[in-house]
Amino acid sequence: MLSAVLTSKIITVTGIVQGVGFRPFVYNNALKYHLLGDVANTGDGVIIHLEGESSALDAFLNVLKNHAPKLSRIDNISIVEQLIQNYSSFEILQSHSQSKTTSVSPDVGICDACLSELRSSDNRRSRYFLINCTQCGPRYSIIQTLPYDRVNTSMQFFTMCQACEDEYRNPLDRRYHAQPVSCYDCGPKLQLYNSDQTLIHEGSEAVAAVAALLDQGGIIAVKGIGGFHLMCDASNEQAVATLRERKKRPKKPFAVMFPDLLRVEKNVTCNALEKGLLHSKERPIVLLTRVKDNHIADNVAPDINRLGVMLPYTPLHYLLFEHFNRPVVATSANRSNEPIYRSYAQIDDNLNDVVDAVLDIDRDIVNAVDDSVVQVVEGHIQIMRLGRGFAPLNMPLPFKSHQKILAVGAQQKSAIALSFDGNAILSPHIGDLGSIEAFEFFERTVSTFKRFYEFEPDLLVCDKHPQYMSSEWAQKQPKELILVQHHYAHALACMLEHRLDETVLAFSFDGSGYGDDGTIWGGEVMLCDNREFERVGHLVPFRLLGGEKAVKEPRRMALSILFECYGHKILDECHLPLLSEFTPQEIALLYQAWEKGINTPIASSMGRLFDAIASLMGLLHVSQYEGQSGLLIEALCHDEHAKIFEYTIDEGIIDISAMIRQIVTLLIDSNPDEIADRFINTLVAIIDEFADKYPQLPLLFSGGVFQNKTLLSRTLKHFKAKKRRCYVPELAPINDGAIALGQLAFALYQDKG
């Protein structure tokens, strides 16, 4: 009888493999197949030494490749033979740090096993507000540096009791090396403060008191995973109005957290994919269409038919809904243009006049991270804001970069991206860099990722806009610097995500971006590959009356476009309500400024065209939030078969003057109902005309304008019917949140070349 063939291997696994139960998974399967050796976390990933019969080792590798823990993501498995080591057992070794390249895991919502324990009266963690295990809970938000061990997180200040430590040390337990593991005896405390900084309740009494305050119409700051929410009763119109008044947020929609899916379905329509997203481990905010007879206060999302919906994702949320069984507004706790607040001190300093009470947890949030926002368009998951659950986004590259590269993104919806070895990493949403606080958050995020990966860039990449704060920051660093055009970066981000190494026809539509000719672009049609682009089409240029003022006041955009069409005869030929927004003297002065080019920069922006159409229709003259005009137009769309307006394309320039004249005629004739549908369908027709000129090329759609669900849906349906290959971003945001990734892509392909 032949003796069994023994073999010994070193297996290195990279990807999201720390903080997700990977080592106990390896341990249990090593025992199952009678294998000897050890497993350890390192800065590079998970290192496994295995020794045993060849057939058993093959069986282990099959399980490793096909049945890894659900929160993990394996990017690469390398296997190296070694001499027989004569291991006597299989052990989990203490983590050791080398170079740091493994991925930081995003925060995830409570798992079913922990939720069951939370609701079980005979479990020692029954109704414990921080219950978690290796399959759920905070990660990115509490980590200081890699490897992901308790000593490197904000849980280092809480000494485990014996019962928790026994679970933590037992490889067969669900909480083996679950770094935030704790219980009533040894974990952080839950504390409720009133607006006078007085501690009024702790523990379960605090949760019940918050529910009572919500029932009375109160506004409470509640600590979540990545920051605080401002919460109030979403069915109480007066409570919502009070929140709007105190926060000085008159129109921008609020997100709503529902107790359960049944309540969601009574208020919005959602398909199977959208329900899956709501229940997913990421638990994002999902944008859905409200049903006619819903129970949410109208002023939660005024004037539009969309609602940002999410389900509870922390045990504390579930406990709150046991006492308050109605939907709540759950909006980020911050002042306008500032990042989400992560500490009680920030709430007290900045929102003391907004909230009636603060529900705090005395565990620090190390890295603030906002809720992710997504929508589903024709079966595609579209990221609007990359945050909790999805970020940091780690994207394996099809090749290894020679340099360490840092890309610093755009001004709005800021995020950073970095690459080293074979990884590209996109940070969570930072925000608009229009305040000192936001820029400090940007700098802190750069420092955080440098610390995570002991990363010092060889090369920086930024936008060409000379006044972007991120670009100014990059230009001050003593590093080699590459500048990338904004709309090309939009296209490159999508190309990198889909690994497109070919020429594409890219439609990059957004609010604004600095063009290579010094004007403001935003309605761009480009032939792109990974190294260069050609601008083959764009919206006809028009002037921004008053510069930045025109971005805030769509009425100025509408007036500018009327000047383009009617010149000084505007008052004679356009009898529109819009003109009553200005005095005749103001119109005369603005016409002079338009005619002479005084403080009227030139733009070809599709986002500004949406503003102009919304103002012409009387929907919006002064914006309250970004993208408001698109949402208002979208709310009026109902007929995807509506005819189109007239337009011309001459040498790539899209002339919409005939469309504007037709819209004015409809408005003068008091027949505005069809304008929204016809406008959207006209844009689809324009896209189609360009696509017909390049019948062999794949089509790519990116930029913030394509957040308009009606526009993107009709576009994708149209080209799927024509069997054209279409690509949209799905992992990274479709808006400026992906600019850093596109900048990174450009530098990577230059480096590769």
Side-chain angles (χ1 to χ4, degrees):
M1 185 175 179
L2 295 173
S3 60
V5 177
L6 294 181
T7 187
S8 189
K9 299 181 186 292
I10 302 172
I11 302 167
T12 304
V13 188
T14 61
I16 300 176
V17 289
Q18 294 189 17
V20 293
F22 205 89
R23 287 178 299 169
F25 160 79
V26 169
Y27 178 87
N28 286 316
N29 280 287
L31 295 185
K32 178 180 177 180
Y33 293 108
H34 307 291
L35 297 168
L36 307 176
D38 55 56
V39 59
N41 280 344
T42 75
D44 296 317
V46 170
I47 306 294
I48 309 166
H49 296 95
L50 276 185
E51 195 164 279
E53 294 184 11
S54 296
S55 58
L57 211 145
D58 289 342
F60 173 92
L61 287 171
N62 180 62
V63 173
L64 178 69
K65 293 173 182 176
N66 298 302
H67 303 287
K70 66 178 183 178
L71 295 187
S72 67
R73 192 196 73 213
I74 295 177
D75 294 337
N76 186 63
I77 300 175
S78 70
I79 304 170
V80 178
E81 297 276 354
Q82 67 172 348
L83 296 174
I84 299 296
Q85 302 294 307
N86 294 313
Y87 296 107
S88 59
S89 62
F90 192 88
E91 299 179 33
I92 297 178
L93 302 181
Q94 186 167 344
S95 301
H96 54 280
S97 179
Q98 300 169 358
S99 61
K100 298 183 179 183
T101 60
T102 194
S103 301
V104 175
S105 177
D107 306 285
V108 290
I110 184 173
C111 69
D112 290 340
C114 283
L115 187 57
S116 177
E117 290 180 351
L118 182 78
R119 291 168 168 168
S120 173
S121 58
D122 59 358
N123 189 280
R124 77 183 187 92
R125 291 189 179 87
S126 175
R127 282 160 182 73
Y128 178 55
F129 70 100
L130 284 183
I131 192 169
N132 72 92
C133 69
T134 55
Q135 296 304 306
C136 65
R139 268 101 169 143
Y140 170 75
S141 62
I142 63 171
I143 186 173
Q144 292 277 4
T145 189
L146 291 171
Y148 178 62
D149 285 333
R150 192 177 179 103
V151 69
N152 293 328
T153 74
S154 55
M155 287 300 296
Q156 65 178 299
F157 304 107
F158 301 93
T159 302
M160 286 180 282
C161 65
Q162 190 60 54
C164 284
E165 185 158 6
D166 288 345
E167 295 169 326
Y168 183 84
R169 302 292 179 194
N170 182 2
L172 302 178
D173 194 280
R174 201 175 86 249
R175 293 187 170 88
Y176 176 78
H177 279 226
Q179 307 307 339
V181 69
S182 62
C183 69
Y184 288 108
D185 295 332
C186 62
K189 303 303 180 189
L190 187 64
Q191 300 162 321
L192 182 65
Y193 296 88
N194 65 15
S195 57
D196 295 328
Q197 302 180 328
T198 302
L199 177 63
I200 51 178
H201 292 288
E202 293 187 275
S204 59
E205 290 183 359
V207 179
V210 167
L213 288 169
L214 290 171
D215 196 48
Q216 296 161 18
I219 298 165
I220 318 297
V222 178
K223 196 170 191 178
I225 284 183
F228 281 83
H229 283 125
L230 296 181
M231 289 188 172
C232 70
D233 183 352
S235 62
N236 184 333
E237 193 156 334
Q238 183 54 54
V240 177
T242 301
L243 175 56
R244 288 199 176 280
E245 181 182 355
R246 291 181 185 177
K247 203 183 178 194
K248 296 178 175 57
R249 184 171 162 174
K251 291 285 187 178
K252 190 175 182 180
F254 290 134
V256 177
M257 183 180 287
F258 285 82
D260 50 52
L261 190 57
L262 180 64
R263 222 71 56 89
V264 169
E265 293 178 301
K266 289 181 178 179
N267 291 277
V268 295
T269 60
C270 53
N271 60 32
L273 183 52
E274 289 162 338
K275 290 177 188 176
L277 279 167
L278 287 169
H279 262 305
S280 69
K281 66 183 187 296
E282 293 86 4
R283 296 289 172 98
I285 297 170
V286 183
L287 299 185
L288 300 167
T289 302
R290 297 170 76 157
V291 300
K292 187 174 182 181
D293 297 318
N294 65 83
H295 307 291
I296 302 301
D298 288 340
N299 57 347
V300 167
D303 307 322
I304 62 174
N305 60 357
R306 309 287 297 287
L307 193 65
V309 171
M310 62 177 152
L311 290 176
Y313 58 83
T314 72
L316 179 57
H317 294 147
Y318 279 98
L319 293 174
L320 181 58
F321 281 124
E322 286 186 359
H323 296 275
F324 187 83
N325 199 23
R326 296 197 295 276
V328 295
V329 165
T331 188
S332 302
N334 55 4
R335 289 288 186 188
S336 180
N337 297 320
E338 292 186 11
I340 188 170
Y341 296 153
R342 60 195 174 108
S343 70
Y344 172 59
Q346 287 178 301
I347 299 291
D348 189 56
D349 289 345
N350 299 286
L351 296 177
N352 186 264
D353 57 341
V354 174
V355 300
D356 298 305
V358 181
L359 186 61
D360 189 28
I361 300 167
D362 65 347
R363 178 182 69 194
D364 289 344
I365 295 172
V366 178
N367 305 303
V369 56
D370 224 323
D371 297 315
S372 292
V373 181
V374 307
Q375 66 178 357
V376 176
V377 186
E378 297 300 315
H380 297 271
I381 297 172
Q382 185 184 72
I383 305 288
M384 322 282 272
R385 184 170 71 201
L386 188 73
R388 175 189 49 77
F390 293 102
L393 172 65
N394 184 287
M395 191 179 294
L397 296 169
F399 55 85
K400 285 200 171 187
S401 57
H402 301 102
Q403 301 184 86
K404 293 181 178 180
I405 306 170
L406 172 64
V408 297
Q411 178 78 359
Q412 293 186 306
K413 295 177 173 59
S414 170
I416 65 167
L418 58 151
S419 72
F420 47 86
D421 294 333
N423 298 299
I425 298 169
L426 182 62
S427 79
H429 169 84
I430 295 171
D432 298 348
L433 303 183
S435 67
I436 294 172
E437 292 79 9
F439 187 69
E440 286 175 348
F441 187 29
F442 163 83
E443 292 187 304
R444 190 165 67 246
T445 302
V446 171
S447 297
T448 294
F449 280 85
K450 283 184 175 183
R451 185 176 66 249
F452 280 170
Y453 299 108
E454 293 179 351
F455 175 89
E456 187 58 43
D458 305 308
L459 174 67
L460 296 178
V461 200
C462 70
D463 194 275
K464 287 187 174 182
H465 198 299
Q467 294 175 341
Y468 277 6
M469 293 183 74
S470 55
S471 298
E472 290 180 355
W473 179 88
Q475 289 165 355
K476 293 176 183 176
Q477 308 305 309
K479 303 283 183 181
E480 182 184 351
L481 180 65
I482 294 177
L483 281 68
V484 182
Q485 200 281 322
H486 187 92
H487 301 94
Y488 183 37
H490 269 305
L492 285 169
C494 187
M495 293 172 72
L496 181 67
E497 177 181 325
H498 293 285
R499 297 195 172 190
L500 299 177
D501 192 6
E502 59 186 308
T503 300
V504 303
L505 183 64
F507 297 87
S508 190
F509 294 171
D510 66 2
S512 64
Y514 192 78
D516 282 348
D517 59 2
T519 67
I520 298 168
W521 291 4
E524 310 312 307
V525 187
M526 301 181 295
L527 290 175
C528 302
D529 62 23
N530 291 317
R531 291 176 176 79
E532 59 185 353
F533 75 94
E534 179 186 357
R535 190 188 191 203
V536 296
H538 60 86
L539 196 60
V540 63
F542 42 80
R543 293 191 173 275
L544 304 183
L545 287 175
E548 278 296 313
K549 266 194 170 183
V551 178
K552 302 290 186 183
E553 300 180 21
R555 60 183 183 166
R556 289 173 175 263
M557 290 310 314
L559 192 62
S560 177
I561 282 179
L562 291 178
F563 287 157
E564 295 282 353
C565 293
Y566 298 97
H568 67 278
K569 296 181 180 179
I570 182 172
L571 291 174
D572 298 327
E573 299 188 29
C574 301
H575 304 291
L576 300 177
L578 158 71
L579 298 181
S580 65
E581 288 288 309
F582 306 93
T583 66
Q585 292 80 9
E586 285 175 320
I587 291 174
L589 286 171
L590 287 169
Y591 181 76
Q592 286 182 21
W594 173 84
E595 190 175 35
K596 296 178 181 179
I598 301 171
N599 193 24
T600 55
I602 295 172
S604 57
S605 164
M606 193 64 74
R608 300 290 77 82
L609 178 60
F610 268 84
D611 288 348
I613 301 300
S615 183
L616 286 173
M617 295 174 67
L619 302 176
L620 181 71
H621 298 308
V622 178
S623 291
Q624 301 292 334
Y625 57 91
E626 186 187 6
Q628 187 177 7
S629 58
L631 285 170
L632 294 173
I633 290 171
E634 188 177 12
L636 298 177
C637 290
H638 62 278
D639 180 11
E640 64 179 305
H641 302 294
K643 59 185 179 181
I644 66 173
F645 290 117
E646 295 176 11
Y647 67 90
T648 60
I649 300 177
D650 184 18
E651 295 185 352
I653 299 176
I654 308 160
D655 187 342
I656 43 89
S657 57
M659 177 181 75
I660 299 300
R661 289 179 180 275
Q662 286 183 295
I663 289 173
V664 169
T665 299
L666 287 171
L667 291 169
I668 291 173
D669 293 343
S670 299
N671 188 23
D673 294 347
E674 62 189 77
I675 292 175
D677 279 305
R678 291 183 66 181
F679 172 59
I680 295 294
N681 286 357
T682 302
L683 297 184
V684 177
I686 290 169
I687 293 169
D688 186 51
E689 188 166 332
F690 278 103
D692 280 347
K693 294 179 181 179
Y694 304 92
Q696 304 305 317
L697 295 184
L699 308 176
L700 186 152
F701 307 103
S702 62
V705 165
F706 285 110
Q707 291 177 138
N708 187 293
K709 187 173 183 178
T710 303
L711 172 61
L712 185 58
S713 174
R714 292 181 185 180
T715 300
L716 292 176
K717 286 172 72 173
H718 176 80
F719 287 110
K720 284 179 181 178
K722 297 181 77 169
K723 294 183 168 41
R724 292 292 296 266
R725 267 197 300 152
C726 296
Y727 295 95
V728 293
E730 295 185 59
L731 298 177
I734 198 166
N735 52 43
D736 280 9
I739 288 293
L741 191 64
Q743 294 168 348
L744 188 72
F746 182 77
L748 283 167
Y749 279 100
Q750 297 295 313
D751 181 53
K752 181 186 177 187

